[in-house]
Amino acid sequence: MQRTKIVDLLKSTDYGKEVIVKGWVRTFRNNQFIAINDGSTTNNIQAVVDFNTTDETKLKRLTTGAAVAVTGELIESLGKGQKVEVKVKQLEILGDCDAEKFPLQPKKHSLEFLREIAHLRFRTNTFNAVFKVRHALAFAIHQFFNERGYVYMHTPIITASDAEGAGEMFKVTTLPFDNTPRTEDGKVDFKEDFFGRATNLTVSGQLEGELAAMAFGEIYTFGPTFRAENSNTTRHLAEFWMIEPEVAFADLTDNMNLAEELLKYVINYALTNCTDELEFLKNRLLEEEKQKPQDERSVLDLIAKLNFCLSNDFQRLTYTEAIDILKNSNHNKKKKFKYIIESWGADLQSEHERYLVEKHFKKPVILTDYPKEIKAFYMRQNEDGKTVRAMDILFPGIGEIVGGSQREERLALLEQRMKEMHIPAEELHWYLDTRKFGTAPHAGFGLGFERLVLFVTGMTNVRDVIAFPRTPKSAEF
RNA sequence: UCCCUGAUAGCUCAGCUGGUUAGAGCACAUGACUGUUAAUCAUGGGGUCGCUGGUUCGAGCCCAGCUCGGGGAGCCA
């Protein structure tokens, strides 16, 4: 006989039927009630053993964390807390769990502690819910693009170009550290290295993505990305996952529409397919916020927040308009910003982005047309000679979740910008070829996957929405 | 990397103005109870007070440095 998953048993009304349940003990109460979880749902099933007829040493082995197989009759529960339960006929301990050494207890643990035991934290309700939602969002992203005829490209993890300017890179090498081969002028001789040149882990698949978009029209990437920045925040990881669509014959408006549509699609997918998980996470958040003073609590609960996000257009405005709003805000006049907005051209600090999103508009915001000085070389220059066709999507509580642009497709202007920003053109000859041979307007963006999961789950630290976080001074597991 | 903050039992935390033997809840062990819901009740075991040095008659508490965690900033997704 096959085991039945707990998610199905809890919905069943097949009373009297013999079933097999396999899972892990969460708690064993009153010497007779085993709460079993098999990961198929956040909820447990209750198995009831007759302690008068069951071997006492076996009952002793029913500790939190132990793996068990239970055969018995599915019955309508005699108790109040649950609809169904399993009346145990046969009980097998598949794997013991020394209760004295097992770190998880049937109580609340801090997220910091669980992060230290990331190999076991999947066994908690919170992480069960978080990773179910993470899975659903990943699946929804592929479904969204597949439905629209996008080609999923696997861009390389190891790259030779060091010219993308998206941050510090991790070096990839097989050279010995204690006896590094040197050239005549004393520099490391990468000709001796595995690839015959210096290589790094990718910081973005965008440039390769553009090459593919110039043939398939519409592509996306979804893969790991690496940044060796010494960033210690709740929204940065050294290894994270990013979605990067690239669309030929698209302008900035098409790009914004695509991003907004994608975000709403996947949020809606989670709302309809992860109802139990989101309900659990909503309550978790409410519980957590009870500790906070009234004015720091969220106005909307998690599910209401997601629905609100779906039913409202993202606020679109230019950088110039944003500066005006910030400059004229009471917040700025009363000097409540640490960095006072004085003139056009200043880079927006987190506090300014948060003011726009959380105080002024109170919904997701898309900022466009930033000064060219504070943006990357490949963004399309506007006619004003000052700004570029960039767009950042800012989410409440998260900050920048999407960063994208219409790309500069005009060779001369691109080359000129690269020269100004000291980007070596030789290294990117293949990238420039797209502008030489049948260049076309195109646009794309990068969506930080963990930041998306953060928003949808209501968690507050990206380290809690990726299985095994890699951050400065931390690469355990 | 910078600013703030923290580190006391397996976990969560208390520990007064520097003063005798460092406490609680949960977890664990033993027993009782047996339709519980993080079961309950009784009893018990459990500590290099992050590390190093200093001040002091005396340091968990004061000072310095270091390590690690958390929050914020920068960089960004």
Side-chain angles (χ1 to χ4, degrees):
Chain A
M1 198 163 75
Q2 283 284 314
R3 81 176 171 104
T4 312
K5 287 192 179 183
I6 291 169
V7 66
D8 297 322
L9 284 177
L10 291 175
K11 283 185 259 176
S12 172
T13 50
D14 236 339
Y15 304 128
K17 190 186 173 192
E18 185 165 273
V19 295
I20 298 178
V21 180
K22 294 183 184 180
W24 294 269
V25 176
R26 282 294 174 81
T27 63
F28 180 44
R29 288 185 297 267
N30 215 2
N31 212 20
Q32 52 184 328
F33 304 105
I34 321 168
I36 305 175
N37 188 284
D38 67 358
S40 62
T41 158
T42 314
N43 301 313
N44 306 325
I45 197 159
Q46 173 159 289
V48 189
V49 283
D50 184 346
F51 55 87
N52 289 313
T53 59
T54 310
D55 181 14
E56 209 174 304
T57 58
K58 210 179 220 178
L59 292 176
K60 285 264 181 251
R61 293 166 66 197
L62 286 169
T63 55
T64 299
V68 293
V70 156
T71 309
E73 189 188 333
L74 186 74
I75 59 167
E76 208 166 352
S77 179
L78 304 175
K80 271 180 188 162
Q82 56 285 314
K83 267 194 207 149
V84 297
E85 62 192 23
V86 176
K87 197 176 167 188
V88 177
K89 284 197 184 117
Q90 213 180 73
L91 168 69
E92 191 190 347
I93 313 283
L94 299 172
D96 287 284
C97 187
D98 186 339
E100 206 166 352
K101 290 177 185 152
F102 188 55
L104 291 174
Q105 298 161 20
K107 62 167 259 183
K108 268 203 187 103
H109 288 292
S110 65
L111 293 173
E112 292 81 19
F113 172 66
L114 292 172
R115 223 171 277 156
E116 287 169 24
I117 50 164
H119 58 308
L120 298 172
R121 66 179 177 171
F122 298 122
R123 301 190 192 191
T124 64
N125 289 337
T126 299
F127 286 92
N128 180 289
V130 165
F131 286 102
K132 286 273 181 66
V133 172
R134 185 182 167 111
H135 160 79
L137 289 170
F139 183 81
I141 283 161
H142 285 300
Q143 186 168 285
F144 173 88
F145 285 121
N146 187 54
E147 282 172 358
R148 284 157 185 74
Y150 283 62
V151 176
Y152 176 28
M153 291 300 304
H154 295 110
T155 49
I157 307 289
I158 299 173
T159 61
S161 67
D162 186 17
E164 291 163 45
E168 286 296 306
M169 300 178 103
F170 287 103
K171 291 185 172 60
V172 174
T173 182
T174 54
L175 291 177
F177 291 114
D178 42 5
N179 185 24
T180 323
R182 302 275 168 176
T183 57
E184 279 176 15
D185 54 356
K187 291 183 177 157
V188 175
D189 186 5
F190 286 105
K191 287 208 176 85
E192 297 290 313
D193 205 351
F194 187 88
F195 294 106
R197 58 191 299 177
T199 49
N200 301 293
L201 291 179
T202 181
V203 292
S204 163
Q206 180 199 315
L207 300 191
E208 289 90 348
E210 284 188 47
L211 311 180
M214 285 297 137
F216 295 99
E218 295 167 327
I219 67 100
Y220 71 105
T221 74
F222 187 174
T225 310
F226 308 88
R227 307 259 168 105
E229 300 286 351
N230 192 6
S231 301
N232 294 285
T233 78
T234 53
R235 8 174 242 295
H236 287 88
L237 292 163
E239 177 183 289
F240 65 100
W241 289 68
M242 186 155 65
I243 298 99
E244 295 181 290
E246 197 66 40
V247 184
F249 315 115
D251 64 13
L252 192 68
T253 305
D254 299 323
N255 204 29
M256 289 190 279
N257 291 344
L258 177 69
E260 183 166 345
E261 201 188 338
L262 169 66
L263 287 166
K264 286 181 171 172
Y265 181 98
V266 301
I267 290 167
N268 184 52
Y269 184 91
L271 276 169
T272 48
N273 290 279
C274 304
T275 47
D276 284 356
E277 286 78 13
L278 290 175
E279 186 68 21
F280 175 85
L281 291 166
K282 177 190 95 176
N283 292 329
R284 198 196 81 86
L285 211 58
L286 288 174
E287 203 61 37
E288 200 180 73
E289 292 201 336
K290 274 185 190 166
Q291 324 258 338
K292 292 185 182 170
Q294 198 82 41
D295 59 332
E296 282 176 33
R297 294 183 201 171
S298 316
V299 185
L300 300 173
D301 71 43
L302 180 63
I303 292 172
K305 177 190 88 173
L306 297 176
N307 278 314
F308 177 83
C309 183
L310 290 187
S311 52
N312 287 280
D313 289 339
F314 294 4
Q315 183 70 43
R316 300 183 185 190
L317 71 160
T318 65
Y319 165 89
T320 306
E321 290 164 336
I323 289 286
D324 280 344
I325 290 171
L326 288 167
K327 222 158 68 179
N328 294 322
S329 69
N330 282 331
H331 220 73
N332 198 51
K333 286 177 184 159
K334 289 182 185 162
K335 310 214 160 156
K336 281 192 184 164
F337 287 127
K338 201 171 158 205
Y339 296 89
I340 309 293
I341 296 284
E342 275 163 0
S343 62
W344 193 92
D347 206 349
L348 298 179
Q349 307 290 325
S350 293
E351 56 175 347
H352 305 131
E353 297 180 348
R354 292 186 63 154
Y355 177 84
L356 287 172
V357 175
E358 290 161 28
K359 294 250 161 61
H360 191 83
F361 292 114
K362 296 192 169 77
K363 61 176 176 175
V365 167
I366 312 183
L367 281 179
T368 62
D369 301 286
Y370 283 78
K372 64 180 179 184
E373 283 75 21
I374 58 175
K375 287 292 178 185
F377 74 91
Y378 48 73
M379 297 189 179
R380 195 178 199 278
Q381 296 175 59
N382 279 319
E383 276 61 51
D384 62 10
K386 298 194 309 192
T387 58
V388 288
R389 305 241 77 194
M391 67 118 178
D392 284 1
I393 302 187
L394 311 175
F395 263 34
I398 313 285
E400 185 177 344
I401 195 167
V402 164
S405 66
Q406 185 174 334
R407 317 306 188 191
E408 181 56 83
E409 85 281 12
R410 299 162 295 185
L411 180 64
L413 288 166
L414 181 60
E415 283 179 329
Q416 174 211 330
R417 201 74 196 109
M418 287 172 78
K419 199 175 272 178
E420 285 167 9
M421 296 177 80
H422 308 291
I423 311 282
E426 325 78 66
E427 272 192 48
L428 293 178
H429 66 90
W430 45 271
Y431 182 69
L432 290 168
D433 271 0
T434 55
R435 274 65 168 175
K436 284 179 191 159
F437 308 124
T439 192
H442 61 291
F445 61 83
L447 164 65
F449 187 55
E450 281 75 21
R451 291 186 183 175
L452 173 66
V453 182
L454 211 57
F455 180 74
V456 177
T457 58
M459 302 293 282
T460 50
N461 192 320
V462 275
R463 298 169 195 197
D464 297 326
V465 299
I466 190 166
F468 302 107
R470 272 81 179 95
T471 54
K473 301 275 177 293
S474 170
E476 186 85 54
F477 312 107

